[in-house]
């Protein structure tokens, strides 16, 4: 697996959760899996073993020498060390601004991953994730087309988020030593730019995305980000495989980050979690019996922050409270800060990335809000179900596939009135203690563990290998 993120070492979102958990589930099925990620500056190498010294990689006129480390995880995790490109604070940028050499960074990364497969872990399948590994299939099919090392090797490309297309200036073609013939509309060109995600979409042997609904949506202009045509032309090898949940990390029965454990048999700990999270966010203790809405999110246009801002006053009028944890685009951070400033006793936000706090929000809230514009899968709504926190979601992508009337509240139109109707229904339901409890318990009883999805991936690998 070639990925720019893997939990717990490098994470900005759900991609890391998936790549951190799926390999172990595949190993349980008997597959042998290794993962390759960049060695970002914040990844500690103390426990890692150096397994390859100064592998030279040529990108056009430039030469990079990378060192490869093997970290002791549940599965072999190879770290590509190239300090001049990856020893930085962020994964993709800082302060909301992308690093200007991301095209070089992730081209080099995929070339190094090919090196891992050549020298360290002979592979039959490259499973690539998102635009950061999108150049691997085209390199494989052009630059390395005649290379006996890779004879018969297949590629699967997983789209976790079509909104990030990996777009760069045409000059990147030469800088990354791509075959210039690839720069055409049927190849990697995207309206005058070079698109890394197209590398995966066009050149992988199979493509999948992370829920059945999103697999359909991305073939339409509304959700296709201009790539719907390219995706439709791969429809015969385009699959939707729902993500799973790693319940070893996300279960209120054994979560080390929450102040009191709870289970369907004994929910009393949830109230303790609620009291503590109210305190942690500086909201009044008297809020304990009112509905508490939780948000944990990358603050990006995808996640529907604008809708939340539009219903903030109605949330307050309805007697509900809101806590939000997130970071991302400064514009959305400001939006949340403004809501909290306007309703200091009712709405509180924590700007930042804090895994432990994410667990406490999941455990302490009554309602989990995810009004996404689009959502390839979404993991937080599934975590919420397990923590007895009833999801209110927009019926799109994986949200549509994982939440049903029995376990949550859905709305369709991307609008504040539609969201408000769903929130009011949740508020209404909350006022009936027995009805609410029944809904909570139905959610907690759902099983989204990885085993089923891992079996689907394993079957797809085998299908590709014939
Ligand atoms: P996405 O990948 O689009 O961000 P997902 O719902 O698939 O959405 O996954 C998000 C993951 O990132 C979850 O594990 C969630 O808990 C975590 N997360 C998002 N924002 C934060 C944050 N500010 N602090 C801690 N964890 C966060
Ligand atoms: C992306 C998507 C999210 C999905 C995650 C893992 O970041 O936005 O919906 O759950 O990847 O596949």
């Amino acid at each position: 697996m070639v990925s720019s993120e893997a939990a717990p070492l490098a994470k900005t979102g759900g991609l890391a959760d998936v790549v951190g958990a799926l390999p172990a589930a595949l190993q349980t099925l008997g597959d042998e899996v290794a993962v390759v990620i960049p060695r970002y500056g914040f990844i500690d190498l103390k426990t890692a073993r150096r397994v390859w010294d100064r592998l030279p990689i040529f990108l056009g006129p430039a030469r990079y020498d990378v060192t490869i480390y093997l970290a002791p995880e549940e599965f072999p995790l190879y770290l590509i060390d190239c300090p001049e490109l990856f020893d930085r604070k962020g994964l993709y940028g800082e302060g909301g601004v992308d690093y200007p050499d991301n095209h070089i960074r992730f081209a080099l990364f995929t070339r190094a991953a090919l090196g891992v497969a050549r020298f360290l872990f002979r592979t039959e399948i490259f499973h690539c994730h998102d635009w950061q590994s999108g150049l691997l299939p085209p390199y494989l099919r052009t630059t390395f087309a005649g290379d006996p090392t890779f004879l018969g090797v297949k590629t699967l490309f997983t789209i976790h988020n079509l909104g990030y297309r990996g777009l760069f200036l045409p000059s990147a073609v030469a800088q990354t030593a791509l075959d210039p013939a690839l720069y055409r509309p049927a190849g990697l060109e995207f309206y005058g730019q070079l698109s890394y995600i197209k590398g995966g979409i066009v050149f992988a042997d199979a493509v999948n995305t992370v829920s059945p609904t999103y697999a359909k949506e991305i073939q339409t202009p509304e959700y296709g980000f201009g790539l719907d045509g390219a995706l439709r032309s791969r429809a015969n090898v385009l699959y939707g495989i729902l993500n799973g949940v790693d319940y070893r990390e996300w279960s209120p029965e054994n979560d080390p980050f929450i102040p009191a454990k709870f289970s369907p048999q004994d929910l009393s700990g949830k109230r303790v979690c609620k009291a503590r999270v109210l305190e942690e966010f500086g909201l009044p203790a008297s809020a304990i019996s009112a509905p508490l809405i939780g948000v944990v999110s990358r603050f990006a246009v995808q996640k529907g922050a604008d809708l939340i801002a539009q219903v903030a006053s109605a949330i307050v009028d309805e007697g509900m409270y809101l806590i939000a944890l997130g970071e991302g685009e400064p514009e959305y951070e400001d939006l949340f800060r403004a809501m909290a400033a306007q309703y200091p006793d009712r709405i509180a936000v924590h700007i930042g990335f804090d895994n432990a706090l994410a667990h406490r929000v999941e455990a302490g809230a009554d309602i989990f809000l995810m009004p996404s514009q689009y959502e390839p899968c979404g993991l937080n709504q599934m975590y919420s179900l397990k923590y007895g926190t009833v999801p209110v979601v927009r019926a799109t992508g994986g949200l549509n596939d994982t939440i049903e009337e029995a376990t949550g509240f859905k709305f369709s139109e991307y609008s504040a009135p539609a969201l408000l109707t769903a929130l009011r229904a949740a508020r209404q339901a909350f006022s009936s203690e027995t009805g609410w409890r029944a809904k909570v318990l139905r959610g907690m009883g759902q099983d989204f563990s990885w085993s089923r999805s891992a079996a689907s991936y394993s079957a797809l690998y085998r299908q590709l290998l014939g």
Side-chain angles (χ1 to χ4, degrees), residues 11 13-14 17 296-298 303 325-326 352-354 378-380 383:
K11 168 165 169 172
D17 294 18
V296 177
S297 169
R298 282 185 301 112
K303 300 291 178 179
L325 164 65
F353 195 92
D354 184 337
L379 297 168
N380 280 306
Y383 301 158

Side-chain angles (χ1 to χ4, degrees), residues 78-95:
Y78 291 98
L79 301 164
I80 304 302
D81 192 33
C82 182
E84 57 181 306
L85 296 180
F86 291 109
D87 190 1
R88 302 182 190 173
K89 276 205 209 103
L91 281 77
Y92 315 124
E94 284 169 48

